[in-house]
Amino acid sequence: MTTGSHPHKSEKKRSSRKNKAVVNENAPLLPKSQGSDAGFDDFNGASFSGAVFNLSTTIIGAGIMALPATLRKLGMVPGLVAIIFMAFLTEKSIEFLIRFTRAGKSSSYGSLMGDSFGKVGKALVQLCVIINNIGVLIVYMIIIGDVLSGTSASGKHHFGILEGWFGVHWWTGRTFLVLFTTLAIFAPLASFKRIDSLRFTSALSVALAVVFLVIAVGISVVKIISGGIGMPKLIPVVSDMASVVNLFTVVPVFVTAYICHYNVHTIDNELEDSSQIRGVVQTSLGLCSSVYIMISFFGFLLFGEGTLDDVLANFDTDLGIPFGSVLNDAVRLSYAAHLMLVFPVVFYPLRLNIDGLIFPKSKPLVLDNFRFASLTVSLIGVIFLGANFIPSIWDAFQFTGATAAVCLGFIFPAALVLRDRYNIATKGDKILSVIMIVLAVFSNVVAIYSDAYALIKQQKTSRE
């Protein structure tokens, strides 16, 4: 009990935090464990800017790398419109989550779905977070491998930084470099038991992403001034039905680029003033959309039809400007380092959710060192194997974006509105929710069909 001259104010503040933070120890996405060494009583609450920073870190990841390639498929104008439209849908879907969270006094995405759809709903959310985050982390490893050791696309090999510097050796090979990164960086950072311990590496990761963006935009501006850039494709080239269907393969990439729903409750629980969460979400989405629009516009402008699925791989060519090779290396290194530091932030809710799914009745994960270590090692091993056997980030995006990500981002929030357990949804909310589900299901079915068709056609061609 506080004994100062203003005890009432202090108690009120603590009480408001307790009301928000008393949750089931095994609920997924807990910002801090409820063990003896942790709790909200010693945490005065996150600031607005800190919450914006954390949510923006969750959003900005590998999406930046794949978005320029979506403009290659859609054309400049529809591609940029799609980025803005997806930000609007994401904002609405998170607003649905927050509104129903307040009504049901839920503390996590899993408990929110459990409130409306029972144990099956909660388990589905946990499963989707697991699939989505494993997919995203595999993408991170693939990109880091592409940057450091190179990648092959369309029959052409794009040299990685270390291959370019030292030549082709066993220690500049993809498998060794990804293994070294995993053991030296991912494993130590993934060993922290509190996500709050990662705040400094997260700050550095955002700074590195900004460095990447500034250099990429700078290169494009210099090329535009010198007349080294042609007119980009403004609209998609549609010649037959197959080319129309192929346009939908970009949808999972857009969806994956904005998925942050699994961390919204974590950030909301940490906020000193929970009424700020709407502003946090809108500010973060505005910031991230601006970054996405800039990198997509300038990336596609710079490389045009030669834009690769992972635009980082494009930065190994002669840019035709002074210090081009140095800038190439700076762009790739800054973003690879950014992803290395974002990895543990995405890994944290993955481990928490898989523990909640497999061991729902066990004591908190933070208090069981053996379980904590076993899960950490097993998950990192699965991600490492995935990164070595999946050839392209586009393939990984298609899988996670067309399945788990679209459920977390749009189908589950829309289902909560249609279920309307507390009778708080308006007619407009329900109409938008139906549109969300129809768009999500239709576009992703078409995307999966298009990918499967392309894969079968490719195998037939290779046999012939």
Side-chain angles (χ1 to χ4, degrees), residues 299-414:
F300 181 55
L301 204 61
L302 199 54
F303 301 112
E305 291 303 305
T307 306
L308 296 171
D309 294 346
D310 172 6
V311 77
L312 271 184
N314 283 112
F315 286 96
D316 73 333
T317 53
D318 182 8
L319 296 172
I321 61 172
F323 308 107
S325 61
V326 175
L327 290 173
N328 272 339
D329 288 349
V331 163
R332 293 190 289 170
L333 271 178
S334 63
Y335 208 78
H338 162 76
L339 291 183
M340 289 177 191
L341 298 177
V342 173
F343 186 99
V345 177
V346 179
F347 187 86
Y348 188 90
L350 165 64
R351 178 175 52 209
L352 209 52
N353 275 270
I354 205 163
D355 180 68
L357 191 66
I358 300 172
F359 307 107
K361 303 294 184 185
S362 301
K363 63 181 179 180
L365 183 61
V366 71
L367 301 179
D368 190 330
N369 289 335
F370 177 76
R371 203 166 90 236
F372 184 90
S374 301
L375 278 175
T376 302
V377 171
S378 302
L379 285 170
I380 289 178
V382 167
I383 294 160
F384 175 78
L385 290 174
N388 279 282
F389 288 105
I390 295 173
S392 157
I393 69 165
W394 198 266
D395 296 329
F397 265 128
Q398 290 298 314
F399 175 72
T400 59
T403 52
V406 78
C407 288
L408 288 171
F410 302 106
I411 292 175
F412 291 165

Side-chain angles (χ1 to χ4, degrees), residues 158-173:
H158 296 263
F159 281 102
I161 290 175
L162 295 183
E163 271 187 346
W165 288 352
F166 304 109
V168 179
H169 303 283
W170 65 268
W171 50 272
T172 61

Side-chain angles (χ1 to χ4, degrees), residues 126-196:
Q126 292 174 318
L127 197 60
C128 285
V129 171
I130 292 164
I131 293 169
N132 177 76
N133 290 27
I134 285 178
V136 166
L137 293 175
I138 286 172
V139 166
Y140 288 3
M141 273 199 189
I142 291 172
I143 291 175
I144 290 162
D146 288 351
V147 170
L148 298 179
S149 67
T151 183
S152 297
S154 305
K156 183 184 176 185
H157 184 71
H158 296 263
F159 281 102
I161 290 175
L162 295 183
E163 271 187 346
W165 288 352
F166 304 109
V168 179
H169 303 283
W170 65 268
W171 50 272
T172 61
R174 184 188 195 90
T175 304
F176 174 77
L177 287 173
V178 173
L179 179 62
F180 178 80
T181 305
T182 301
L183 296 176
I185 298 172
F186 296 155
L189 290 178
S191 299
F192 286 114
K193 292 186 176 181
R194 289 186 181 183
I195 199 165
D196 189 54

